[in-house]
């Protein structure tokens, strides 16, 4: 008989301590400021409902609320990373649900913005170039002045002409394109920043899979098109006339700006464009391209020291 009595006693004891622990926990949960605030807003909630939903209330108070305990989505402490809990009372029931937290929303907005710059193989430092980091020296005041003018105007309305940055290797021409693209994206204007040699390779490859037209269309319509290092490579007559020519023609008609960087001046580039990969000299066609380039951009020299180490 004794063993049974003994276990029964133990059971009662345990059960009592369970009740006690349960009550202590309930007191702790319901006196938590956030839960108190919730309950005060819904006086119709009965004690029985609280009792039944204690686990939801507990979950609610143990989670981070709108990033109050985290600095980033990566360090988020919540069960659902990047989501913050909310308590609701509807259909006579307490509900816990989750909404995107502040850090997650900010992160998503950031990704969306980076997607606005579509570029092929641009170094990270260029993609992250900020206007505040631009080192101003005498040799570049003109370039910076033109850039600032463009950006100030773009905040209201996209100007119809971009800039043709011409100057020696390493003075920061591509860097300036990065600065412009990053500033424009803050006005929700997307830039397509393309490294010319890569562009040529990509278009040549597109002949095989029949995507030339589709790609040409994308370049035609981009808010802002940036062609980095034009003249670095001899172009085929096909690329010059059917690809570049068609894109520039469209943008000229639609008054859409194009930016260029080049180690050459416009005059020198005209000579280069007259020489195609087949070695033919085609002055008329090159002249036609240059006319379009002049319609969509303004030539601005950039000088200074070579910043490449
Ligand atoms: P370019 O296109 O004229 O050849 P880049 O834009 O590639 O020259 O610049 C050369 C190097 O100098 C890069 O590493 C770039 O990040 C750096 N650079 C250029 N301009 C600046 C600047 N204003 N502030 C800081 N770094 C710069
Ligand atoms: Mg460059």
């Amino acid at each position: 008989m004794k063993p049974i009595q003994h276990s029964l006693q133990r059971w009662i004891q345990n059960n009592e301590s369970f009740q006690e622990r349960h009550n202590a926990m309930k007191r702790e949960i319901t006196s938590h400021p956030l839960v108190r605030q919730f309950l005060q807003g819904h006086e119709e909630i009965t004690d029985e409902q609280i009792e039944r939903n204690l686990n939801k209330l507990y979950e609610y108070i143990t989670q981070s609320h709108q990033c109050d305990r985290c600095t980033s989505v990566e360090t988020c402490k919540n069960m659902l990373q990047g989501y913050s809990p909310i308590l609701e009372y509807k259909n006579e029931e307490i509900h816990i649900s989750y909404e995107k937290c502040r850090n997650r929303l900010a992160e998503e907005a950031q990704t969306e913005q980076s997607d606005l710059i579509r570029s092929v193989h641009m170094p990270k430092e260029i993609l992250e170039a900020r206007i505040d980091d631009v080192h101003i020296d005498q040799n570049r005041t003109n370039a910076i002045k033109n850039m600032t003018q463009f950006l100030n105007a773009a905040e209201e309305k996209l100007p119809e002409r971009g800039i043709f940055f011409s100057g020696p290797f390493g003075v920061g021409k591509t860097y300036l394109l990065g600065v412009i693209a990053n500033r424009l994206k803050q006005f929700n204007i997307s830039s397509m920043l393309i490294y010319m040699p890569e562009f040529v390779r990509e278009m040549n490859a597109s002949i095989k899979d029949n995507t030339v037209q589709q790609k040409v269309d994308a370049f035609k319509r981009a808010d802002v098109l940036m062609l980095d290092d034009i003249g670095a490579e001899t172009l085929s007559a096909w690329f010059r006339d059917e690809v570049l020519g068609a894109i520039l023609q469209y943008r000229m008609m639609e008054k859409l700006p194009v930016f260029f960087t080049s180690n050459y001046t416009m005059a020198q580039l005209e000579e280069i464009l007259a020489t195609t990969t087949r070695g033919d000299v085609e002055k008329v066609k090159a002249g036609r391209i240059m006319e379009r380039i002049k319609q969509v951009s303004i030539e601005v020299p950039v000088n200074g020291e070579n910043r490449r180490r």
Side-chain angles (χ1 to χ4, degrees), residues 271-289:
E271 297 284 313
I272 288 168
L273 287 175
T275 317
T276 66
T277 42
R278 299 218 324 276
D280 312 325
V281 175
E282 297 179 87
K283 286 203 154 39
V284 178
K285 285 184 176 167
R288 201 175 290 155
I289 297 278

Side-chain angles (χ1 to χ4, degrees), residues 123 125-126 129-130 133-136 140 144 167-177 179 228-229 261-263 302 306-309:
E125 55 174 15
I126 302 283
R130 295 275 171 277
D133 301 333
V134 175
H135 184 249
I136 301 174
R140 305 201 297 177
I144 290 164
F169 180 80
V171 294
K173 303 179 298 295
T174 304
Y175 190 87
L176 291 178
L177 292 187
V179 171
D228 190 33
D229 239 347
T261 75
S262 184
N263 289 348
V302 193
N306 184 345
R307 287 165 183 272
R308 282 182 217 216
R309 280 141 269 142

Side-chain angles (χ1 to χ4, degrees), residues 14-178:
N14 280 347
N15 216 28
E16 268 173 6
S17 71
F18 171 79
Q19 261 310 324
E20 249 167 54
R21 264 186 296 148
H22 177 82
N23 289 340
M25 207 157 152
K26 184 178 168 189
R27 270 195 306 278
E28 197 186 313
I29 293 171
T30 50
S31 63
H32 189 285
L34 288 172
V35 172
R36 265 218 326 257
Q37 196 186 344
F38 172 71
L39 294 176
Q40 277 163 4
H42 300 279
E43 283 175 351
E44 66 275 31
I45 297 178
T46 63
D47 193 55
E48 189 269 327
Q49 283 172 326
I50 294 173
E51 191 72 50
R52 198 154 27 86
N53 290 294
L54 220 45
N55 59 341
K56 291 180 191 167
L57 299 175
Y58 178 73
E59 180 178 316
Y60 182 70
I61 60 175
T62 54
Q63 301 291 293
S64 162
H65 293 259
Q66 282 305 343
C67 317
D68 64 351
R69 290 179 224 172
C70 322
T71 49
S72 69
V73 176
E74 248 172 40
T75 61
C76 178
K77 295 175 168 50
N78 287 356
M79 291 189 317
L80 279 169
Q81 273 210 334
Y83 287 80
S84 179
I86 22 180
L87 278 182
E88 277 171 313
Y89 183 69
K90 56 184 181 203
N91 302 330
E92 298 184 11
E93 189 62 82
I94 297 172
H95 296 271
I96 184 164
S97 62
Y98 284 82
E99 61 180 358
K100 283 181 188 171
C101 68
R102 263 203 301 276
N103 280 332
R104 189 186 172 102
L105 288 172
E107 217 170 70
E108 284 182 359
Q110 181 95 49
T111 326
E112 202 173 283
Q113 286 215 325
S114 323
D115 287 349
L116 286 175
I117 299 183
R118 279 164 282 175
S119 57
V120 190
H121 295 296
M122 276 293 145
K124 198 160 179 266
E125 55 174 15
I126 302 283
L127 290 178
E128 289 174 353
R130 295 275 171 277
I131 202 157
D132 298 333
D133 301 333
V134 175
H135 184 249
I136 301 174
D137 66 41
Q138 256 182 341
N139 297 303
R140 305 201 297 177
T141 42
N142 200 22
I144 290 164
K145 197 181 90 196
N146 277 275
M147 171 177 91
T148 312
Q149 268 169 4
F150 181 92
L151 290 173
N152 288 343
E155 207 169 345
E156 295 291 315
K157 181 180 175 291
L158 199 56
E160 46 187 88
R161 279 168 137 185
I163 303 169
F164 184 106
F165 290 116
S166 146
F169 180 80
V171 294
K173 303 179 298 295
T174 304
Y175 190 87
L176 291 178
L177 292 187

Side-chain angles (χ1 to χ4, degrees), residues 285-307:
K285 285 184 176 167
R288 201 175 290 155
I289 297 278
M290 275 323 297
E291 272 320 302
R292 292 174 193 164
I293 291 179
K294 286 174 190 166
Q295 289 291 322
V296 294
S297 69
I298 302 159
E299 182 170 10
V300 174
V302 193
N303 286 298
E305 56 179 298
N306 184 345
R307 287 165 183 272

Side-chain angles (χ1 to χ4, degrees), residues 155-217:
E155 207 169 345
E156 295 291 315
K157 181 180 175 291
L158 199 56
E160 46 187 88
R161 279 168 137 185
I163 303 169
F164 184 106
F165 290 116
S166 146
F169 180 80
V171 294
K173 303 179 298 295
T174 304
Y175 190 87
L176 291 178
L177 292 187
V179 171
I180 295 167
N182 282 319
R183 184 76 186 130
L184 287 174
K185 88 180 172 185
Q186 292 175 341
F187 316 143
N188 272 328
I189 298 171
S190 71
S191 305
M192 230 167 173
L193 207 167
I194 313 284
Y195 181 50
M196 273 305 277
E198 190 60 46
F199 185 22
V200 171
R201 264 194 295 283
E202 164 137 22
M203 295 313 287
N204 287 346
S206 305
I207 299 174
K208 280 198 217 109
D209 59 17
N210 281 320
T211 55
V212 171
Q213 204 46 50
Q214 204 181 320
K215 285 179 181 161
V216 166
D217 280 349

